[in-house]
Amino acid sequence: MSEDFLPIKGMDHVEFYVGNARQAAHFYRTGFGFAHTAYSGLETGNRETASYVLEQGNIRLVLTAALGPDHPIARHAHLHGDGVGIIGLSVPDAASAYQEATKRGATGAIAPTAVEDDHGVYRYSAIRAYGDTLIKFVDRSDYHGPFAPGYAARNGAEQSGNGKGKFAHKGIGLAHIDHMVGNVELGAMNRWVKFFATTMGFSQLIHFDDEDISTEYSALMSKVMQDGTGKVKFPINEPAEGKKKSQIQEYLDYYYGPGVQHLALSTGDIVTAVTQLRDNGIEFLRVPNTYYQDLEERVGHIDEPIDKLADLGVLVDRDEEGYLLQIFTKPVEDRPTVFYEIIERHGSRGFGKGNFKALFEAIEREQDLRGNL
């Protein structure tokens, strides 16, 4: 086994660049059950941006808005709408991660940087990924403050710095980021597969082609890349030729380029989580009720009551290692771009291949309503 030249401890955070961070934070608190744990803005001496750190389980989201129209984050939000600007990965050495990735062909975005305050030293660096997305390497081993220097703790979250803090918010039971999907333009998927393999040492877990993911009208192709531990998974989608516009092309048209399409959030109790999300006003894609006829004949025995899954619209798939339950929200922005997947795994390491057709058709019905199919 080859040496892992860029070891990754896991996901550190995902930072969204948004038009109004205060309102976006309210949406994630009341809709998805996150807690507000740290803040940076005018009150903390930040004259450029306002950022809200939200946490639930091991998921950390950062929502950042610019305080003026000429800031790069304002331009990002203007072009793309609200979207993921930074994928933060926890690493043991941010400088080494940067050096290893850039010498293998990655484009540097932020040189290794160390910032110190009363809570210790926060180290980070960043490289460029697809579109305007950055991958940020974060080393918190010597930092124990509220997220990063320049941030003040909120709601009793004294320290969430290295994952060992005193604050642990269970919320509605969302536990960690299972995977994060990127959409790239036609013909670019293999280039980005090679990028993750060459510059970061990722390997390909699985490949879906346009025969796996297609309907009468449209199709996509996807390859799933993962790090050496299997904790970090980045599926990469590209549109495939079809009679009508695919969901991937619709995303690219409205995001104005490649970017993160959806985050899959893992839970140990999808029925309870989705029930709460629905009660909180989060809208989900629906498949026809006929999907649930003979479900156990298709996927085998499952522990969850099928009538409850049917009521919520939760999908089920099985592979040789077990089964999974999954459901997808409608886009959470005005543009048909970013959405979320809620997933519960029972042994399966797959991505719901058996659900692709039903899910794709549900997405196409939504596209048709928007006049974009």
Side-chain angles (χ1 to χ4, degrees), residues 264-281:
L265 308 180
S266 176
T267 179
D269 184 352
I270 198 168
V271 170
T272 298
V274 173
T275 299
Q276 187 63 61
L277 287 165
R278 188 177 68 173
D279 290 347
N280 291 350

Side-chain angles (χ1 to χ4, degrees), residues 37-38 53 55 60 117-122 140 142-153 157-166:
T37 60
V53 180
E55 297 187 51
R60 184 190 282 128
D117 67 7
D118 293 342
H119 301 287
V121 183
Y122 176 80
R140 300 181 178 278
D142 294 323
Y143 190 73
H144 306 283
F147 186 65
Y151 284 77
E158 291 183 31
Q159 50 182 15
S160 56
N162 57 9
K164 301 177 182 177
K166 301 174 183 177

Side-chain angles (χ1 to χ4, degrees), residues 18-29 39 43 50 52 63 65:
V18 301
N20 188 326
R22 182 186 295 269
Q23 290 186 0
H26 179 74
F27 170 77
Y28 281 98
R29 291 201 313 271
Y39 169 78
E43 297 84 350
Y52 294 73
L63 305 168

Side-chain angles (χ1 to χ4, degrees), residues 21-167:
R22 182 186 295 269
Q23 290 186 0
H26 179 74
F27 170 77
Y28 281 98
R29 291 201 313 271
T30 59
F32 282 86
F34 281 84
H36 179 202
T37 60
Y39 169 78
S40 174
L42 293 173
E43 297 84 350
T44 67
N46 181 350
R47 312 301 297 179
E48 300 289 324
T49 59
S51 294
Y52 294 73
V53 180
L54 304 175
E55 297 187 51
Q56 182 172 178
N58 289 319
I59 306 164
R60 184 190 282 128
L61 304 181
V62 184
L63 305 168
T64 299
L67 298 179
D70 297 323
H71 193 281
I73 289 175
R75 295 197 292 271
H76 190 286
H78 179 71
L79 177 62
H80 301 297
D82 291 2
V84 173
I86 292 175
I87 300 169
L89 300 178
S90 176
V91 298
D93 187 333
S96 172
Y98 180 87
Q99 290 154 7
E100 295 291 345
T102 53
K103 81 178 183 182
R104 289 170 169 82
T107 300
I110 302 172
T113 303
V115 184
E116 188 170 359
D117 67 7
D118 293 342
H119 301 287
V121 183
Y122 176 80
R123 297 181 174 90
Y124 63 93
S125 61
I127 59 173
R128 298 195 177 281
Y130 41 70
D132 291 327
T133 314
L134 300 185
I135 293 175
K136 188 174 185 178
F137 302 121
V138 180
D139 172 13
R140 300 181 178 278
S141 57
D142 294 323
Y143 190 73
H144 306 283
F147 186 65
Y151 284 77
R154 290 290 185 267
N155 299 313
E158 291 183 31
Q159 50 182 15
S160 56
N162 57 9
K164 301 177 182 177
K166 301 174 183 177
F167 190 89

